[in-house]
Amino acid sequence: MINLNRFDLVTLRLFVAALDAGSLTAGANRFGISLAAASKRVAELEQHCGVALLQRGQRGVSATREGQTVHRLAVEVISRLEQLAQSVDDFRAGATEHLRLCANPSAFGGFLPVLLAQYAERHPEVRIELEDLLSEDAIRAVHKGEFELAVIGDNVPVEGLETIPCNRDELVLLTPRRHVLAGLHEVPVAQALGFDQIALARRASLTRKVIAAAEASGLSLRIRVQVRSFDSMCRMVASGLGVAVLPRSAAALYTRALDLVMLRLSGLEVERLLLLALRQRSELSPAARAFVAMIEAAVAADGQAADPMG
C-alpha cells in the first residue's frame, strides 16, 4: 500500500520541472539544490512508486509510460496546492473568491475587457487572475489546472474540453491610408494576401486561419513581421511594413488613432468565432460559474438582438 505521507511537494515539483525542461540538472537549478540531491530525491520517488519514472540518457531525461501518468497527476496536485495558497492570500487581502481566466489576443482586443468590467462590478468580492495566451497554450493551461477557463479560437483542437460559444466578430483588412488597396470598398482575399503581412505567431489561431485562406487561394502567405499583440500589428501597419487581417472590433480601436483604413474582405469566411473552454462545469468554482453564466446570457442577448423573431 502506498504511503501518502512519503510524497512531498518539493520532490513532486522537482520531478515535474525536470521533465518539463528535459533535464534533471535544469530541475535542480530551479530549486537551488545540487544534482546529486535532485537525483536522490527522484530515485526515492521511484523507489516509493515501485517503477522507473524517468528514462535517463546523454541528452537529458524523458518520462517512462508510468512517469507520464505520474507527471500528469503531479501537475494537477501542484496546481491545486498553488490554488490553495492563492486563495489564502486572497482571504488575507479581503477577496473571498478567485476567477482564473486566460484568453487569446482576439478576446483581449475585442469583447473581453468590457465583459470583465461588468463582471467585476457585479462581483466585487472576486479577484480576477487574467493572462494573455495563444489558444493552444490556453488549452494546455486549462488541462493542467492552471486556469479554470480559457477563451480560444474555434479552429484549434480542444482535446476533450467542454466549449461554449462566447463571441463572434468579422475579420477585416487593415492598411495604411496611402496603400494601393485603401481606396477599395471591398478586397478579394487573394488580392489582400498577396501583400506583405503583419501577423501574430504562426501558432496563433488567427494566423492559422489566414494561412489556410492563403493556401486555399493558391498563395504562400508572405509574413514580413510577427508580433505578439494587435496593438503591435496595427503599429507595424501604420509604419508601412505591410497589411494585416484582424477582427473588426480590434481594428476599430486603431483606425483613427493611427490613420489606418479598415476594409471588408471577400472570398474568405470572415466570421470569427471565439469559444470559452473549460474542463467540467461540475468542477468550476462559484466565481467561474458566475462568469460562464454571464457569457451565456450575453450570447443569448446578442442572438435575440440579431433575430428579434427568434
Side-chain angles (χ1 to χ4, degrees):
M1 181 69 179
I2 293 291
N3 183 355
L4 295 179
N5 293 327
R6 293 184 63 185
F7 287 106
D8 71 273
L9 181 59
V10 173
T11 300
L12 287 178
R13 294 180 68 191
L14 171 66
F15 173 73
V16 169
L19 276 180
D20 288 348
S23 166
L24 192 55
T25 300
N29 290 339
R30 178 175 177 181
F31 289 92
I33 61 177
S34 67
L35 178 59
S39 297
K40 184 174 183 294
R41 281 184 172 273
V42 173
E44 290 175 347
L45 176 63
E46 291 178 313
Q47 183 179 9
H48 182 51
C49 293
V51 294
L53 302 177
L54 295 182
Q55 293 176 333
R56 297 160 174 84
Q58 293 182 345
R59 296 187 177 181
V61 295
S62 59
T64 62
R65 184 179 61 181
E66 294 80 5
Q68 292 174 358
T69 299
V70 172
H71 176 270
R72 174 175 56 81
L73 296 175
V75 166
E76 293 184 7
V77 169
I78 293 167
S79 176
R80 293 295 185 184
L81 288 172
E82 289 174 345
Q83 291 172 35
L84 172 61
Q86 182 65 64
S87 294
V88 172
D89 285 343
D90 290 344
F91 297 154
R92 291 174 177 174
T96 58
E97 294 186 57
H98 197 218
L99 175 65
R100 295 177 297 114
L101 171 70
C102 57
N104 67 4
S106 293
F108 273 88
F111 79 102
L112 189 58
V114 172
L115 187 66
L116 281 175
Q118 295 172 352
Y119 178 89
E121 184 177 356
R122 296 182 191 179
H123 304 279
E125 76 287 357
V126 175
R127 177 177 176 179
I128 301 173
E129 178 185 344
L130 182 64
E131 187 166 340
D132 183 356
L133 294 176
L134 297 180
S135 293
E136 289 184 349
D137 296 330
I139 289 170
R140 283 192 289 270
V142 171
H143 271 294
K144 289 182 177 181
E146 296 171 359
F147 293 90
E148 288 191 271
L149 304 171
V151 182
I152 62 173
D154 64 346
N155 60 334
V156 294
V158 295
E159 302 174 5
L161 296 179
E162 179 182 346
T163 60
I164 303 167
C166 61
N167 185 254
R168 293 180 185 274
D169 203 349
E170 176 190 3
L171 294 181
V172 297
L173 182 71
L174 206 59
T175 75
R177 176 68 58 183
R178 296 182 179 180
H179 194 275
V180 65
L181 297 178
L184 300 179
H185 174 69
E186 186 174 85
V187 182
V189 66
Q191 184 178 2
L193 299 185
F195 290 87
D196 288 343
Q197 301 290 313
I198 312 298
L200 299 174
R202 286 183 178 270
R203 293 190 303 115
S205 59
L206 174 58
T207 306
R208 290 165 59 175
K209 185 179 182 73
V210 176
I211 290 174
E215 292 175 347
S217 301
L219 300 172
S220 178
L221 194 67
R222 292 159 42 187
I223 298 179
R224 187 173 186 185
V225 181
Q226 287 182 270
V227 296
R228 296 178 58 87
S229 68
F230 289 151
D231 178 83
S232 297
M233 287 177 71
C234 294
R235 293 184 185 280
M236 294 300 105
V237 172
S239 297
L241 289 171
V243 301
V245 175
L246 66 167
R248 177 180 290 275
S249 58
L253 298 174
Y254 297 93
T255 51
R256 179 175 297 179
L258 297 177
D259 195 27
L260 301 175
V261 176
M262 184 168 58
L263 303 168
R264 297 188 58 139
L265 287 166
S266 63
L268 169 70
E269 185 183 351
V270 296
E271 185 177 79
R272 168 98 164 137
L273 176 63
L274 297 180
L275 305 173
L276 185 68
L278 56 135
R279 292 175 69 177
Q280 292 185 21
R281 289 198 186 215
S282 60
E283 296 180 355
L284 292 179
S285 66
R289 287 199 296 270
F291 186 77
V292 171
M294 278 193 66
I295 287 284
E296 293 180 323
V299 170
D302 286 346
Q304 292 173 0
D307 182 10
M309 301 301 293

